[in-house]
Amino acid sequence: MAEHHSGPVEMGAPMDYAEHEKTYDFFISATKYGTLFCVALLIAMAAAFFTTMGFFSSLVLFILLNVAGFFFLR
């Protein structure tokens, strides 16, 4: 049958809230900048394939979009 304990219940190690906050902040930053990278890549690819920009112009566009996005997302 079930055991009934009357003493304190151990739930493992105490929470490290500072480490939890650092992990959450890293996750949010990685998600934000990863999304920026993917969107900039898609825009640059669309510019390269569907316009007459070419590879190097769309590479410059990709870099500029990432720099501008990094500036605005900080």
Side-chain angles (χ1 to χ4, degrees):
M1 291 276 208
E3 297 179 17
H4 297 285
H5 296 288
S6 60
V9 177
E10 294 293 326
M11 298 299 291
M15 287 291 294
D16 186 2
Y17 289 105
E19 189 66 29
H20 175 75
E21 287 291 326
K22 287 190 331 189
T23 303
Y24 179 74
D25 290 339
F26 175 75
F27 173 77
I28 293 298
S29 294
T31 303
K32 185 168 52 171
Y33 294 118
T35 302
L36 168 68
F37 178 82
C38 290
V39 169
L41 181 63
L42 288 174
I43 291 171
M45 287 172 61
F49 294 135
F50 299 122
T51 66
T52 59
M53 284 184 71
F55 174 75
F56 291 110
S57 298
S58 50
L59 179 64
V60 170
L61 175 65
F62 173 71
I63 292 170
L64 288 175
L65 286 172
N66 275 310
V67 169
F70 179 78
F71 175 74
F72 287 120
L73 289 178
R74 287 190 315 142

